[in-house]
Amino acid sequence: MSLSLPQLLGCLAAAQAQEVAPALAGLGAGTGGDANYAAGTATTTAMLLMLLAGEAATAAGREAGAAAAMRAQFGDVPEGRDARMAALGERLQAAEAAGERTAVRAVLALLAAEAEADFTALGLPLPPH
Amino acid sequence: MPAERLARFLGAQWGEPVAITGVKRFHGGSARETFRFDAVRADGRREGLVLRRDPASTLIETDRAVEFRALQAAYGTAVPAPEPLFCDMGSEAFGSPGFIMREVAGGRAAGLFDPEPYGDDAAAIGTAFFGALGALHRCDPVDFGLAAMAPDAAARSRLDHWRRAFEADRARPEPVIEAAFRWLDRTPPPPPPRVTVVHGDYRSGNFLFDGPRLLAILDWEMVHVGDPLEDLAWAMDPLWGHGSGRAAATVADAEAIAIWEAASGLTADPTALRWWRVFAQVQGATIWVSSAREVIDGRSHDPVLAFAGFVPYRFHVATLARTLGGLA
């Protein structure tokens, strides 16, 4: 994923502290405050937290599954998601350059399976292919 | 947004005292900060207005006058658009560059997760939405202040634009997006018969509607000259289909294309449209990578940007991986 779990949570915490809390304080004190914007920020945060709860519960299992699928295909698997993705990218580019369509399809199938699992883990459906 | 600032600016523009009430910031616009307010004029008339101004952190780098110029050109044509009123490129009037337009009363925009946002009016909205896009593609880019471009430069120009953004903002290995850029590079599309105005973010969620009526196309900040299929492909991208499987949650893809062809007087070349549909996913993925970068670098703590770098990002990486598998 593009954003890591700590990065996402840090962003949400900052949004509550710097946008929502001051607005609520202002409203409570009767000195105004942008309730509309604060409510929108809080709502988006709540939705993201629900998604992140699922993410935290399933990310390790998905990573293990993706690494196992790559190991079954290629044997060697670098440690960690980013290193594994970089290795898949190198394999794909090399297969493209060599015109090895079967190898290209094999790497793309791994990437597609992992990307689809990452998205559907959010509880959202992908459109039919 | 201090009301006094707006009152001072509008008072100077209209040459009369103006009172400002009900300033409310909308949540969600990540390219601009958007505020709705009432301006009460000297005779007591109340006008609903909208201010769009640059935020400190912007998801999409654009010329700040471009959107205002596009609204001026589109307003009053067959492409429904809000009426632009005043633009200020400095920071005196609004705190940062921005413009004021008249509020379009009575409409609403679809949210990304609204299932079937147009209900029984989906077909009517689809006809209006893709028809208005065709009408936009009949407009003269010169009227929008857009520079001329050779048709065979359209695809390369956009590909280079988004590649630069991707290279600048990528934070982690992105083998799927990289592979998609390579495919787009290897298989350039046939050029369009003519370059047109391209809205740049024409999609469900970026227009106001009321029942079956399309009231206004919004968010013109990415307008440029180029291949009209860029807009058509973006509008038809499944991300904007609300899970319906239909183009913009309105009509079937084939019908959307037919409506657009009739309105634009152009034909959607299937090979070119296929390229632009892959491009649309790459553009989306790059925007989401850029939004994540804003968060990673601490330039923004807007949950909308965090959401973009998380959910739509995963959507487009998944659809791109599947698409590339089908093309290999």
Side-chain angles (χ1 to χ4, degrees):
Chain A
M1 66 191 205
S2 192
L3 283 169
S4 68
L5 201 55
Q7 286 165 340
L8 281 160
L9 291 170
C11 171
L12 299 183
Q16 305 318 295
Q18 296 175 43
E19 305 290 346
V20 178
L24 290 176
L27 289 165
T31 57
D34 196 331
N36 194 64
Y37 185 71
T41 300
T43 302
T44 307
T45 298
M47 182 181 61
L48 265 171
L49 283 173
M50 283 193 289
L51 294 172
L52 291 176
E55 175 68 14
T58 62
R62 288 202 317 278
E63 172 58 28
M70 184 177 173
R71 189 172 299 109
Q73 192 92 39
F74 301 117
D76 205 22
V77 180
E79 188 69 27
R81 190 263 183 199
D82 283 0
R84 190 170 50 73
M85 278 287 153
L88 283 171
E90 286 165 14
R91 278 184 180 276
L92 179 57
Q93 194 164 2
E96 285 173 2
E100 295 170 358
R101 293 182 67 186
T102 305
V104 167
R105 287 189 185 127
V107 179
L108 284 172
L110 285 176
L111 289 167
E114 182 167 350
E116 290 181 22
D118 282 350
F119 185 77
T120 54
L122 302 173
L124 301 167
L126 270 174
H129 191 36
Chain B
M1 181 71 222
E4 302 78 36
R5 200 171 231 171
L6 290 169
R8 201 164 48 241
F9 177 79
L10 288 171
Q13 295 295 327
W14 285 329
E16 62 186 51
V18 175
I20 303 296
T21 61
V23 179
K24 188 172 77 171
R25 181 177 170 190
F26 290 109
H27 179 74
S30 46
R32 296 282 166 92
E33 290 178 354
T34 306
F35 300 83
R36 191 253 172 233
F37 60 95
D38 287 315
V40 184
R41 303 190 62 163
D43 62 3
R45 254 183 314 139
R46 184 176 290 270
E47 298 202 30
L49 302 177
V50 172
L51 165 69
R52 301 251 292 157
R53 74 172 185 185
D54 282 359
S57 168
T58 184
L59 181 53
I60 300 157
E61 306 290 343
T62 58
D63 181 333
R64 289 173 287 273
V66 167
E67 184 174 14
F68 188 73
R69 176 75 185 262
L71 283 172
Q72 285 179 312
Y75 182 69
T77 71
V79 186
E83 180 185 1
L85 295 178
F86 307 110
C87 180
D88 189 277
M89 296 295 289
S91 56
E92 268 301 298
F94 312 129
S96 60
F99 64 86
I100 290 174
M101 57 188 175
R102 211 174 290 286
E103 179 186 32
V104 177
R108 75 175 186 93
L112 187 61
F113 291 127
D114 287 352
E116 296 293 348
Y118 311 113
D120 293 342
D121 298 314
I125 289 292
T127 300
F129 177 65
F130 287 101
L133 183 60
L136 175 66
H137 293 156
R138 282 185 183 271
C139 293
D140 187 343
V142 173
D143 294 340
F144 283 67
L146 299 171
M149 170 187 275
D152 62 4
R156 173 54 55 193
S157 160
R158 298 312 289 165
L159 192 53
D160 289 348
H161 172 84
W162 288 112
R163 187 191 295 279
R164 280 193 299 273
F166 175 70
E167 294 298 341
D169 292 335
R170 56 185 302 174
R172 308 179 73 179
E174 299 285 2
V176 174
I177 303 173
E178 290 162 10
F181 269 117
R182 290 197 298 274
W183 184 88
L184 292 169
D185 253 339
R186 284 197 306 269
T187 56
R194 65 170 191 266
V195 293
T196 67
V197 177
V198 175
H199 178 281
D201 197 10
Y202 198 92
R203 61 173 175 81
S204 181
N206 264 354
F207 65 83
L208 298 175
F209 69 100
D210 181 17
R213 292 187 307 133
L214 175 63
L215 300 180
I217 304 296
L218 305 175
D219 290 358
W220 292 77
E221 68 265 18
M222 291 169 72
V223 70
H224 58 275
V225 67
D227 189 323
L229 292 183
E230 180 184 341
D231 269 340
L232 184 62
W234 183 245
M236 291 169 59
D237 190 86
L239 181 63
W240 315 121
H242 303 263
S244 69
R246 300 189 307 278
T250 59
V251 294
D253 283 2
E255 194 176 347
I257 293 168
I259 294 165
W260 173 83
E261 287 183 335
S264 67
L266 296 164
T267 301
D269 177 280
T271 304
L273 184 58
R274 183 185 70 171
W275 190 92
W276 284 106
R277 294 198 72 168
V278 176
F279 173 87
Q281 297 170 69
V282 168
Q283 170 180 320
T286 302
I287 291 172
W288 318 135
V289 163
S290 294
S291 65
R293 189 65 190 225
E294 294 288 305
V295 172
I296 291 167
D297 288 352
R299 288 193 294 273
S300 174
H301 53 253
D302 186 343
V304 171
L305 293 187
F307 175 85
F310 183 46
V311 180
Y313 164 81
R314 286 189 177 188
F315 182 92
H316 271 138
V317 170
T319 60
L320 262 179
R322 291 202 312 201
T323 301
L324 291 173
L327 294 169

